[in-house]
Amino acid sequence: MKKHIHFFIFVLVTTTSIMAQDHTLPLWPNSIPNSQPSEEKEKADKGDILWISKVQEPEIQVFLPPKNISTGQAVIICPGGGYEGLAFDWEGTQISKWLNTKGIAGIVLKYRLPSSASVKVSHEAPLQDAQKAMQLVRENADSWNINKDKVGIIGFSAGGHLASTLGTHLNKEDSVNSRPDFMALIYPVISMKNGITHQGSRNALLGDNPDKELVEQFSNETRVSKETPPTFILHATDDESVPVENSILFYKALKENNIYAEMHIYPEGGHGFSLGNGNPVLESWPKLFCNWLKNIYSEDRQK
């Protein structure tokens, strides 16, 4: 009996030692751009979902797979929450742990929210943090066993808007380092236009009465170009929070620009289903995404 117990302890210790390692890095260790002093405090509500709001210290939480199964790929993860908060475990750390089982590094982004009293220009802060996260991952690529040319981004709901903004707003000076190599947009907010957008996300990002130029600027279906990275899109037809037209319009723009893209629209599923665990239809999407990712880097496509 003792031998069995000792063997169990050995297996447990060995398994734990090769599991994904995680650590946290601040995005802006010295000074945070586009910020101002306030007495606002960050909040973390631990209910069924870890809900983080009023982010004060943007950071990345890095989950690395064991080296013996690493693909060299990495994905920055943008949790959703209507730009009012972050569903940090449901659409963040749980995603990173799943990616690790596929040999992919998962980096969860805790980005600033535009409604924070500590932010000066609301609509600029999330994108600034996403750009910095991409740069930081590439700067640490060698030590994290990551190929700096295989770093993508995945976003859920409003996090999908942030991810698609990073992939389409490429006219910045630092666009070379911040451009994702691929994007995955899961039930994403894409447009800021009336009748299409998720109104709560639009209000939080742009304000209640934004001018037309700002609406156009952050309607990412209008920003797709030849430089937009390959994109995987997922949505449910019966999504009552974010209309499926967001994904359809973005896919149409990708097609018009000859961007390598794949879209899956489920007839049912609603909104906010994350990995779709327990639903035999929805839980198929992670495998579809992994297959798509393999195709991007297949030898045939690289020729």
Side-chain angles (χ1 to χ4, degrees):
M1 183 65 179
K2 288 183 177 180
K3 290 183 178 180
H4 290 297
I5 293 173
H6 290 159
F7 177 75
F8 173 78
I9 293 174
F10 171 78
V11 171
L12 180 62
V13 171
T14 303
T15 302
T16 303
S17 67
I18 64 173
M19 286 178 67
Q21 307 165 13
D22 70 277
H23 56 280
T24 300
L25 287 179
L27 289 182
W28 312 98
N30 298 318
S31 63
I32 302 173
N34 187 29
S35 64
Q36 59 190 3
S38 82
E39 295 183 0
E40 188 176 69
K41 303 295 183 183
E42 185 169 309
K43 294 181 63 178
D45 298 318
K46 298 180 180 180
D48 292 338
I49 295 175
L50 174 58
W51 180 258
I52 297 179
S53 59
K54 304 183 186 302
V55 173
Q56 300 299 302
E57 299 288 340
E59 62 188 25
I60 53 174
Q61 189 168 349
V62 182
F63 293 78
L64 302 178
K67 285 188 176 181
N68 64 331
I69 66 168
S70 175
T71 65
Q73 298 165 346
V75 180
I76 294 173
I77 304 159
C78 301
Y83 280 126
E84 292 282 1
L86 304 175
F88 201 75
D89 53 356
W90 183 244
E91 295 171 345
T93 55
Q94 290 182 22
I95 307 302
S96 65
K97 292 174 182 177
W98 157 67
L99 287 169
N100 282 176
T101 67
K102 305 301 178 183
I104 303 169
I107 294 97
V108 187
L109 174 60
K110 188 174 78 172
Y111 55 91
R112 285 174 292 165
L113 300 159
S115 59
S116 171
S118 301
V119 170
K120 286 183 179 178
V121 182
S122 298
H123 62 268
E124 292 181 358
L127 179 57
Q128 288 173 321
D129 291 348
Q131 289 172 332
K132 183 63 175 181
M134 184 63 69
Q135 294 164 17
L136 195 57
V137 171
R138 289 191 169 122
E139 288 171 6
N140 287 276
D142 290 342
S143 60
W144 294 349
N145 197 33
I146 290 170
N147 184 330
K148 66 180 180 179
D149 297 321
K150 295 183 178 181
V151 183
I153 192 165
I154 186 170
F156 298 78
S157 192
H161 184 267
L162 177 55
S164 64
T165 303
L166 184 67
T168 56
H169 290 228
L170 301 174
N171 58 345
K172 304 293 184 181
E173 293 179 0
D174 55 2
S175 62
V176 174
N177 291 324
S178 61
R179 176 187 181 274
D181 294 302
F182 56 87
M183 297 191 295
L185 309 176
I186 313 302
Y187 40 85
V189 178
I190 294 292
S191 185
M192 292 286 112
K193 295 182 179 180
N194 289 326
I196 304 171
T197 190
H198 173 248
Q199 198 64 44
S201 296
R202 169 174 146 152
N203 291 349
L205 184 66
L206 305 183
D208 293 342
N209 296 293
D211 61 48
K212 292 182 179 180
E213 289 185 4
L214 204 57
V215 169
E216 187 74 14
Q217 180 183 350
F218 283 93
S219 292
N220 291 334
E221 75 276 16
T222 70
R223 303 281 304 204
V224 176
S225 71
K226 303 296 182 183
E227 301 302 316
T228 302
T231 305
F232 177 94
I233 306 173
L234 179 76
H235 220 121
T237 303
D238 66 348
D239 190 330
E240 295 183 357
S241 296
V242 179
V244 70
E245 283 76 13
N246 282 268
S247 288
I248 294 172
L249 288 171
F250 198 73
Y251 179 80
K252 182 180 179 182
L254 293 167
K255 182 176 180 293
E256 290 172 351
N257 284 272
N258 296 314
I259 304 300
Y260 186 77
E262 180 172 315
M263 179 170 66
H264 296 272
I265 298 180
Y266 292 120
E268 298 176 343
H271 189 76
F273 49 78
S274 186
L275 291 170
N277 292 333
N279 185 307
V281 176
L282 298 178
E283 66 184 6
S284 67
W285 83 257
K287 184 176 181 180
L288 294 172
F289 168 70
C290 287
N291 289 339
W292 175 81
L293 197 55
K294 289 178 182 177
N295 288 336
I296 289 179
Y297 296 109
S298 66
E299 292 183 3
D300 291 339
R301 288 206 73 243
Q302 299 304 309
K303 291 179 181 178

